[in-house]
Amino acid sequence: MKIFHLFTKILDFITKYLKVFIFLLVVGLIFTPKDDLPKQDANVARINLYGTILQSDTFLEELEKIEQNPKIQGILLVIDSPGGAIAPSVEISEAIKRIHTKIPVVAYAQGTMASGSYLAGVWADSIVANRGALLGSIGVIINGADISELAEKLGIKPQTLKAGIYKEAGTFMRKWNPQEEAMLKDLVEEQYKMFVQEVTLARKISLQEEPNFAQGRILSANNALKFKLIDKIGSLYYAQELLFIKANIQNPKWHKEEKDKIEIYLEKIFGDNIALGVQNGIALALEQLSKIWLKGN
């Protein structure tokens, strides 16, 4: 009965606060001023590449909208990402490579511009880095594990049907055999060479310098400048001013991503980081639920 009582309390709590939240949204939609809508005469745009790169669709969609705006004369690409999957990183890199032939793109390493995120921004016309930024990590890795001993202790016995001697390569249920390990190593080496070649072409660096700027090294802003991975150490303000110069923009007007009124109102409640606001909301809900639980017991 206690569990049923607690479940009822939880439903009552959700229903109560959901109504309040919907009411606030409606009020916000009614009174949201028109000034919150994006300006149509913008001539410069900022796009952010934050967090682990697991897919490229969202970023590319936003970039395409900017690219299709004929009034945009320059793009500021702000990066704070440890990298991620190689395929989406390549897709973003190719998009920047294409766009920078039309309008200037300045990349700003705000915190971390490493591995896949460095590849993503390598074709910018100029790369400016925060003096505390971490850069480079030019390398490729495949992680794996061998949990066969643990599985045996738990009484787990894997069964596999396969066609092709390499089809099970990378399995974590046993140690990789020599053929699988050699195949995976060749794959890593091939992608590493592609990564290094892209960097040398984009940054006009001699391949002879590869041991210094690559090999997975994580570099400070000073060393990244020394090995020509970046063009300048500076602030976000400096990166913006550099973009204005390159794009010959005298009166910069920033493009704002088009958002519906609900999203605008959510940002007014939670700030620019809606996800953080949702997190705080969940934390509040959990706190209230814990109080209900303690009271019920």
Side-chain angles (χ1 to χ4, degrees), residues 228-286:
K228 301 179 181 179
L229 293 185
I230 64 174
D231 299 288
K232 186 74 176 179
I233 297 173
S235 64
L236 179 61
Y237 175 81
Y238 176 85
Q240 292 174 353
E241 291 298 311
L242 179 61
L243 177 61
F244 300 155
I245 293 171
K246 286 182 173 292
N248 194 26
I249 296 173
Q250 303 297 326
N251 184 23
K253 294 182 180 180
W254 288 95
H255 166 81
K256 294 182 181 179
E257 182 185 359
E258 294 186 7
K259 301 170 184 176
D260 57 34
K261 286 190 175 183
I262 292 179
E263 190 173 357
I264 291 170
Y265 188 62
L266 284 172
E267 288 189 356
K268 286 194 169 195
I269 297 174
F270 298 128
D272 289 337
N273 192 339
I274 294 177
L276 180 60
V278 173
Q279 262 187 343
N280 292 337
I282 292 172
L284 176 61
L286 290 175

Side-chain angles (χ1 to χ4, degrees), residues 191-260:
Q191 294 196 328
Y192 175 71
K193 289 178 182 177
M194 179 272 292
F195 195 166
V196 170
Q197 183 180 31
E198 198 75 1
V199 173
T200 56
L201 289 173
R203 299 297 304 167
K204 297 179 174 59
I205 305 173
S206 170
L207 189 58
Q208 303 301 317
E209 294 293 322
E210 179 264 344
N212 296 320
F213 71 78
Q215 293 294 330
R217 290 178 182 272
I218 300 174
L219 303 172
S220 65
N222 283 326
N223 280 328
L225 181 62
K226 176 182 176 182
F227 296 123
K228 301 179 181 179
L229 293 185
I230 64 174
D231 299 288
K232 186 74 176 179
I233 297 173
S235 64
L236 179 61
Y237 175 81
Y238 176 85
Q240 292 174 353
E241 291 298 311
L242 179 61
L243 177 61
F244 300 155
I245 293 171
K246 286 182 173 292
N248 194 26
I249 296 173
Q250 303 297 326
N251 184 23
K253 294 182 180 180
W254 288 95
H255 166 81
K256 294 182 181 179
E257 182 185 359
E258 294 186 7
K259 301 170 184 176
D260 57 34

Side-chain angles (χ1 to χ4, degrees), residues 1-14 289 292-293:
M1 293 296 292
K2 281 188 176 182
I3 294 176
F4 179 76
H5 180 68
L6 175 62
F7 184 70
T8 304
K9 287 278 190 181
I10 292 172
L11 287 178
D12 289 342
F13 174 79
I14 292 172
L289 289 175
I292 293 171
W293 169 263

Side-chain angles (χ1 to χ4, degrees), residues 8-188:
T8 304
K9 287 278 190 181
I10 292 172
L11 287 178
D12 289 342
F13 174 79
I14 292 172
T15 303
K16 176 183 175 182
Y17 281 92
L18 182 62
K19 289 177 181 178
V20 173
F21 187 68
I22 291 173
F23 172 75
L24 290 174
L25 279 178
V26 171
V27 172
L29 289 175
I30 294 171
F31 293 103
T32 299
K34 292 183 179 180
D35 289 342
D36 285 331
L37 296 176
K39 304 295 183 182
Q40 298 301 315
D41 57 350
N43 54 14
V44 63
R46 167 176 169 166
I47 185 168
N48 301 322
L49 182 59
Y50 289 164
T52 305
I53 303 172
L54 299 177
Q55 55 87 24
S56 59
D57 292 352
T58 304
F59 181 91
L60 294 178
E61 285 173 8
E62 186 179 350
L63 188 62
E64 185 178 2
K65 290 178 184 178
I66 295 171
E67 185 183 7
Q68 290 176 349
N69 186 339
K71 294 182 180 179
I72 299 298
Q73 301 171 34
I75 296 175
L76 178 66
L77 172 60
V78 180
I79 299 175
D80 191 356
S81 163
I86 192 164
S89 300
V90 168
E91 287 187 332
I92 295 172
S93 182
E94 289 295 321
I96 298 298
K97 182 179 181 179
R98 183 189 72 253
I99 290 173
H100 98 109
T101 62
K102 303 175 183 178
I103 57 176
V105 178
V106 171
Y108 177 65
Q110 192 171 49
T112 302
M113 183 178 175
S115 193
S117 72
Y118 184 81
L119 176 61
V122 73
W123 282 101
D125 295 83
S126 294
I127 301 176
V128 179
N130 179 306
R131 61 180 177 173
L134 298 176
L135 303 105
S137 190
I138 296 169
V140 180
I141 185 172
I142 292 180
N143 285 316
D146 177 7
I147 66 167
S148 55
E149 290 185 12
L150 175 62
E152 185 177 350
K153 288 179 180 179
L154 295 174
I156 300 172
K157 297 180 179 180
Q159 299 182 105
T160 304
L161 293 174
K162 64 179 181 179
I165 61 174
Y166 299 111
K167 192 59 182 176
E168 204 181 358
T171 180
F172 56 87
M173 293 303 295
R174 59 169 173 76
K175 184 178 179 180
W176 302 342
N177 64 44
Q179 292 86 358
E180 292 169 336
E181 189 170 347
M183 185 271 286
L184 292 172
K185 185 176 181 180
D186 287 344
L187 178 61
V188 167

